[in-house]
Amino acid sequence: MDSSKVISFNQHVVLELPSGNLKIAELRPNNSISLGKFGAFYINDIIGYPLGSRFEINYEVKEGEEGFAEDSKEKKKPKHMQKKIPIGKAKLMIETPAINETSDDNEDRSDSIGTIADELEYENSLNNKNLNIKGNPSEIQELSMAEIEEMKKQYANTNSQDIINKIIQSHKEFNLKTKYSQLKYLNRKKSKFSKEFIVHKMTGRLLLNYLIDKGDIQRIMDMSEESIGMILNYGNVKSNGKYLVIDETGGLLVYFMMERMFGHVTENDMENKKFEGEIIVIHENEHVNLDLLKFSNYSEKFIKKHIKSISILDFFEPPTEEEINNGFTKLTREELSKLSNGERNVYQRRIKGYYKQCQIVELTKNDRKYDGLIVASTLQLTQLIPRLGPKIHGSRSIICYSQFKEILLELSHELYSDLNYLAPTLMETRCRPYQSVRGKLHPLMTMRGGGGYLMWSLKVEPAPPIPSIEIEPKEDISETKNEETEAETKKQKI
Amino acid sequence: MDSSKVISFNQHVVLELPSGNLKIAELRPNNSISLGKFGAFYINDIIGYPLGSRFEINYEVKEGEEGFAEDSKEKKKPKHMQKKIPIGKAKLMIETPAINETSDDNEDRSDSIGTIADELEYENSLNNKNLNIKGNPSEIQELSMAEIEEMKKQYANTNSQDIINKIIQSHKEFNLKTKYSQLKYLNRKKSKFSKEFIVHKMTGRLLLNYLIDKGDIQRIMDMSEESIGMILNYGNVKSNGKYLVIDETGGLLVYFMMERMFGHVTENDMENKKFEGEIIVIHENEHVNLDLLKFSNYSEKFIKKHIKSISILDFFEPPTEEEINNGFTKLTREELSKLSNGERNVYQRRIKGYYKQCQIVELTKNDRKYDGLIVASTLQLTQLIPRLGPKIHGSRSIICYSQFKEILLELSHELYSDLNYLAPTLMETRCRPYQSVRGKLHPLMTMRGGGGYLMWSLKVEPAPPIPSIEIEPKEDISETKNEETEAETKKQKI
Amino acid sequence: MSYFGEFKDLIQEGDLALVWISRDNIKPITVDSKEFFNTRYGSFPHRDMIGKPYGSQIAIRTKGSNKFAFIHVLQPTPELWTLSLPHRTQIVYTPDSSYIMERLNCGPNSNVIEAGTGSGSFSHAFARNVKHLYSFEFHEARYNQAKEEFEKHGLINIENNVTITHRDVCESGFTIKKGDVTSNQFKDDEEYVNLEANAIFLDLPAPWEALPHLDTVISKDESVGLCCFSPCIEQVDKTIEAMEKNGWINIQMVEIQSKQYESRRQMIRTLDDALERLRDIKSHKLEGVARRKREFENMINEEKKLDTNANKIDKKDISTQTEKPTSKKAQNNRPIIAKTKFNPFGKGSRVREGDTNFQWKQVSKVETEIKSHTSYLTFAFKTITNTRDEELFQKELEFTTSKPSSHKK
Amino acid sequence: MSYFGEFKDLIQEGDLALVWISRDNIKPITVDSKEFFNTRYGSFPHRDMIGKPYGSQIAIRTKGSNKFAFIHVLQPTPELWTLSLPHRTQIVYTPDSSYIMERLNCGPNSNVIEAGTGSGSFSHAFARNVKHLYSFEFHEARYNQAKEEFEKHGLINIENNVTITHRDVCESGFTIKKGDVTSNQFKDDEEYVNLEANAIFLDLPAPWEALPHLDTVISKDESVGLCCFSPCIEQVDKTIEAMEKNGWINIQMVEIQSKQYESRRQMIRTLDDALERLRDIKSHKLEGVARRKREFENMINEEKKLDTNANKIDKKDISTQTEKPTSKKAQNNRPIIAKTKFNPFGKGSRVREGDTNFQWKQVSKVETEIKSHTSYLTFAFKTITNTRDEELFQKELEFTTSKPSSHKK
């Protein structure tokens, strides 16, 4: 099976729940996955279908065949108190394109257009004119919350359409809504009772959305997908590059880079394909934090081969080869064999340290220049970037991400007065999603505000100082950046 | 005639030319106005029609009745070299809603939708597939530029539709264009040869657009109409307010305020209506610059009554009443009669100065507080606003405009740490115009980038210091801004 | 004057005031010396407010503790009123309403039609600035609610420049007649209201149904502005179609996109400090490593002493002579590394933004959730009259030319 | 490797390079030691570039003067190439193209269809990152131009991951057969190309006409992504209709709005300085006024000496005793006021932004003209296969469970 295309064992996938929430799961054979209130299913049922397929959990199983899954939310409770989720059979659904899911709930005022909703057969009104506006929703909804909760408890054995029908019957004013309002209402209810889920391929985009869902947006520096897309393109990220990277997003940025550079890599690929690219991650703490790579489908071996990490201290003040060799003695096979297990562990750690040190020397060699500098860091960039710049080859991209424009503004002023950097450019990009329903097209009423800013520049090599004759470059040759024109260049045309 | 509704004598109006450019004119009786290459017309012809009417200049006049107007662009040339513009008869056009004018020229790729253009009877193609893309436009357009220039010279006696027809006949590939392209092409050509113009009522909006057209955007601090709208509303500008204003736009902001406060004021109104509002303009130079008010239709008398100006020096360090009285001696009628003309002029200047000084004393009296502070200034706001604040009454608005967000960010930090200001809020508003043509709806491809930023806050009176007991406000009462919570308040929830 | 119209200095009994608890929590009160304003931090007696200037901060001791709570008492404005409305209400927010008012040139000469009234937020802004506002609401409950509110706020009864009418304008147009459900007080001989509207704002699901009714109520002899407020693009399309059909010109649709920014600070963390911190950690670690290494090598050496092959290792011992091994089983005896001292960024502790022990850079952050779309605004203009009164023109011409100069200058 | 594919260190003979003159002026050259790159400031010999590292700044003495002119020689990237294109060309700019590539998850596993090729700007970005790009262009002249360019850039012949075909895809679909006008080199036994596309980008006026042709060329056993690029909203509507009809799901339309900012400085002008400046002006003026006043009063006094009524004025004279009137006709003898000295903001002279004699605050300014709209992007996805190979599944299950653990941990 091609794990880049079909749902495969031991793969990380992203599950999209009826609520729209995302969940990351590893598909271990013969195991089950619980989706909490939406039910649970056996992993084996979904293997082999294309990634991106939609399934419904079906509880019409024969007696004696039911299983129960543990709900991760219940784990903190004592064992006997934990609610077990019954496991149903996951059945592939053939998609019938229904109403789009990217709608929001905030525009009753547009209710009387109604060009959709042919599938609805409930009575409806042309507009919401007679809807009770003052009333508490619970007054209109005749089913009490308790009753609905009761239904929910039983839902494992109930068809979700039944519940929805029941709710509609008990909604006093349902028939007063417009068709579109009805459809919306149904979709909302459906998302609460449906047992459908989608199995998505793990991608950077979904990992990002998963983190946003979880409220981890600060952890990833408020980065948006569109900003990352710009980083990858302006950073000229491609499969054969060697990039210097600072990634304070816990590996999100590195993961996006890996997707772009290597795509989906199977075990087979690793043996048969040639992968050249390298990402050298510089970090300001003792240890690099690329935690999010644990969700990736890259093997540890592959990651180790292509992602190398080095602390800023080691990067700027690397040990000499001599120091390293002085600090470590390789034992002979004979010596090794005499060590106790404990001693051998100690030695293993030390030899690992030694190789790490050698790698540092290799990565920081004076003549080693990188194919791009990609920085998402909260360190002061005006000091950081000019110190990293000399490690970047001429004509290669420097791209810095920051949550705040002011940080990059300062940086662009700094780089503008430095002849080693060409045309620092401050950029912002925002993706504005639409409610993409025919007849009801409009931008979503609300969206996430952040997404960050970018500074892009090119590393260049200034011309050598010019022999002792009078220098007076014309002002209108832009970008010449000579001392004489300093005042002029400060007014930056970007 | 109601000069707020119909085109009236001695009124300033804004003329919209076929090119879309704007021109401000004063309608003096029996005079003519030249629109340069678009022709010239007699003012009397347009008087009495509703403001907003469209006219066409008609040159089919009887022999001997032609006149000629001077072209303002030609004024620098010696008299005998000046090209005179023949004056035609301006005739009201009854509007037939044609293709909208707010389109741009940059989307051939959408050419094959074509749901409009029923009025076009030229042959056309479904898409622009066979259009020569490499070719120079002049190769396709068979008429040479010289020929077109020649036609233009003669145009005064030619019907503009004739010219356009001629151009179409000579456009080799016109029939290969889609209907929509054809229509666009015609509109473009029409705007060059048409002799139509619209007479608009003078409004702040048009004055602003006129200045933008002229490239005077820096003079008005890059302000946009939508930012000004926010200033007026958040500034709570209404007819009975007394506002403290700094206006570095040369009077544009004050003019907008006057429109909002007073509307259109006729001589009649001044006698019969009560106008209370006042705008006190503080300026940093010796003399106030409200030059743009010269285009307004407010009389000098009215302006003098409602707009008062005072320099920052006089505002912050006003003379005492004693100083003023000491500095000036009123002459008796008898003494006056003995003065020579020259002496009387000197005395008149001095008495004017004296009243000005008295006004300063009046405007800066300690107990005089204003109903709002509206500032569009490039002075450092962090120093300026806290010094002006004490002159503003509690619960009244402070609204500052700046071309740059960073300036207002600094200010909002400053005000946030000052208990006299509530909830400083940093805002941006942008109007995004659409090509508003049915079947071809989309935002304009390009628009002006600027428009500025706003900081809004309310002047408040902090509670008096609390008696000597322990003060420890809860962190979650936001906006309390006590010293104890300073660190907390610095993280501003805006 | 209404509570919105007049600039009041002092808080007085009977005033409508707004209490500012926080940005998201603004509440209207009617000042009553016997009343209290209750919050979860305690009760603020109205009598503490009375007589103080508007804008005053009021402090009380919080319930059951010696802490203090604060509110501000503000005079209502249309913008503050809009902020005080619950978010689920259909509100025309200030960036839209202020642009519409500006573009329709609203001022003391404006007679405005607004349909529908909705939450009434925009009505307040219109009422502040225009000659007369005619507001129409087709939903009966909303009509009653808005009418009551306008009366309470003094817009109908005191300022007297607002009329609200219960009406489906799409069906029945805009003419207000005797007998209609309206706030208008007809005089005895008055049969209908002469609107003479010159600015129209339609916030309706199907404005194209209302458009044909406008001609009879708009001002005849001037240019009249119209703005339709529609969330969906398909509505815009239908609106433009109807505008063209009904003779409206200069049609342009725009969107207003506004943002608010938070004023924030980001800690300035220099590379030099970060490096120094790592050096500090390293030196502490090296101590430990050196110790472990000595232990390990001593252990090896001990075993090697039994061996003949000792030379090779000796040279490594130079750097590790000073300390004695503390234990033979080094791997079980990892020395405790002393806490590092250099901590320029306050790692490990929760540093509050702006903490003066650190350096900060002022930054702005767009609000977490932005209103990315409110509605599309479609503007159009119309002039019904297209003739001039030649007699009046001649009179005017004679009058003007007979005067030595105009009233201007 | 192509000139875009390889990271080159040194500028070499025959290279395709980009010469950066200014942000708006970037020109491609083929390095040829006998050639010169001509600008209005002078000619830069290619031989000055050869052997230098990419990114080098090259200086020449300008024509007829002792001044210098500079250019930078850069290695082409798709983004720089896009910047170098004339603006009138139909270009998919990087904010759009980078988002589309990201959202369609473009990488070494991607087989991409692009229709039409247009200026080829997006093709270069695709070619950099994907397994294979199949580009279709219906306009013959553009096809030839693009093909030539792709060959020159090494995308077709060296990298060999781009195929361009002259085709109206709306009419004839996407299958590339022997005999078609295409850059594809068919092998002897090859009749048609198996596209197996899993990412599709349609920049066509009527994408709905092309949609039905996709099923036969897209990858069957995986989820395939599609993006349609349309300037008008009505096209989006028709596109969504066609997508739904053709079984595409998860339809979402988005807009990309991007901005560039200029880094600028605004002078810090304090109120205190402004006040001091006015005080300075005032004191100069007062000198003049005092002088004029003395003159005037002396004049009056002279006349008053002839009068009896002198008392009233005497007391005013205290402050004006020191100087003598210089002339009787004061009004004709206005003293010349000395130029003021305190000029903290450089008024009257042209101060260059950033002039170190003044203080400045860093500010950002959005570009004067922004690209407020490029096109709407409508995304959709489709999976054709909806079964699994049960046999393969069983084999996989056995294989996986027989292994002690997977390749991952």
Side-chain angles (χ1 to χ4, degrees), chain A residues 129 284 317 406 432 444, chain C residues 139 255 269 279 364 372:
Chain A
K129 187 171 168 182
E284 62 160 307
E317 299 168 12
E406 293 81 2
R432 191 181 188 210
L444 293 191
Chain C
H139 192 293
E255 255 185 303
R269 309 191 307 116
R279 279 190 213 103
S364 60
S372 43

Side-chain angles (χ1 to χ4, degrees), chain A residues 109 113 129 131 284-286 317 338 343 378 380 383 387 406 432 439 441-442 444-445 447 449, chain C residues 139 203 205 231 233-235 255 257 269 271-272 279 285 299 303 307 347 364 366 368 370 372:
Chain A
R109 63 175 88 205
I113 286 200
K129 187 171 168 182
L131 269 181
E284 62 160 307
N285 291 314
E286 283 173 280
E317 299 168 12
K338 286 184 187 149
E343 288 160 356
T378 56
Q380 194 191 31
Q383 197 184 53
R387 298 265 280 273
E406 293 81 2
R432 191 181 188 210
L441 280 176
H442 64 73
L444 293 191
M445 295 293 181
M447 59 182 262
Chain C
H139 192 293
D203 178 3
I233 196 81
E234 291 84 357
Q235 290 168 303
E255 255 185 303
Q257 297 189 288
R269 309 191 307 116
L271 175 61
D272 283 340
R279 279 190 213 103
K285 244 197 176 159
M299 180 178 74
E303 286 173 38
D307 220 292
K347 293 219 177 190
S364 60
V366 79
T368 310
I370 56 172
S372 43

Side-chain angles (χ1 to χ4, degrees), chain D residues 17-259:
Chain D
L18 287 177
V19 173
W20 176 290
I21 302 143
S22 73
R23 203 177 282 272
D24 303 321
N25 197 359
I26 304 169
K27 294 262 182 284
I29 58 166
T30 297
V31 179
D32 176 345
S33 56
K34 295 180 295 298
E35 282 292 332
F36 292 82
F37 179 76
N38 296 311
T39 71
R40 58 187 180 118
Y41 305 105
S43 284
F44 295 80
H46 288 195
R47 60 173 186 276
D48 282 7
M49 308 170 187
I50 293 172
K52 290 216 174 73
Y54 269 102
S56 288
Q57 191 185 41
I58 310 289
I60 55 156
R61 216 156 282 180
T62 53
K63 276 185 212 154
S65 82
N66 250 343
K67 296 168 186 176
F68 280 79
F70 302 91
I71 55 169
H72 284 95
V73 184
L74 305 175
Q75 198 191 349
T77 67
E79 288 66 37
L80 285 171
W81 182 255
T82 302
L83 280 180
S84 78
L85 293 173
H87 278 290
R88 59 185 167 76
T89 328
Q90 281 166 30
I91 298 173
V92 181
Y93 286 100
T94 303
D96 282 312
S97 61
S98 64
Y99 182 75
I100 294 163
M101 285 182 70
E102 182 40 49
R103 183 123 182 204
L104 297 179
N105 202 25
C106 287
N109 299 91
S110 306
N111 287 315
V112 178
I113 285 174
E114 177 197 43
T117 313
S119 68
S121 58
F122 202 171
S123 317
H124 282 76
F126 276 131
R128 166 179 56 196
N129 291 112
V130 304
K131 194 159 141 199
H132 204 98
L133 171 69
Y134 300 96
S135 194
F136 296 86
E137 174 56 51
F138 84 147
H139 192 294
E140 190 171 2
R142 277 201 210 108
Y143 163 76
N144 288 324
Q145 199 175 316
K147 180 163 168 274
E148 196 181 314
E149 194 176 275
F150 292 170
E151 277 164 359
K152 199 170 160 195
H153 294 181
L155 306 182
I156 289 179
N157 37 343
I158 306 177
E159 212 75 76
N160 202 18
N161 73 337
V162 174
T163 301
I164 181 168
T165 304
H166 175 220
R167 173 76 58 85
D168 180 347
V169 292
C170 296
E171 235 171 65
S172 322
F174 301 89
T175 309
I176 306 170
K177 292 180 297 292
K178 221 170 204 169
D180 288 348
V181 182
T182 176
S183 72
N184 193 63
Q185 302 288 332
F186 287 88
K187 285 173 210 135
D188 282 347
D189 55 345
E190 211 180 17
E191 284 303 315
Y192 67 97
V193 182
N194 200 6
L195 306 190
E196 292 281 322
N198 51 18
I200 299 133
F201 174 67
L202 301 182
D203 178 1
L204 300 169
W208 50 88
E209 293 174 4
L211 272 178
H213 302 300
L214 282 172
D215 280 8
T216 55
V217 292
I218 61 176
S219 179
K220 300 281 172 291
D221 54 354
E222 64 184 311
S223 172
V224 174
L226 164 65
C227 173
C228 295
F229 192 73
S230 311
C232 296
I233 195 81
E234 290 84 357
Q235 290 168 303
V236 173
D237 181 60
K238 284 192 161 194
T239 299
I240 295 177
E241 181 185 25
M243 284 173 165
E244 288 176 348
K245 214 177 275 173
N246 286 280
W248 293 81
I249 58 166
N250 293 330
I251 300 166
Q252 190 188 38
M253 186 266 272
V254 307
E255 253 186 304
I256 299 295
Q257 297 189 287
S258 72
K259 286 177 196 164

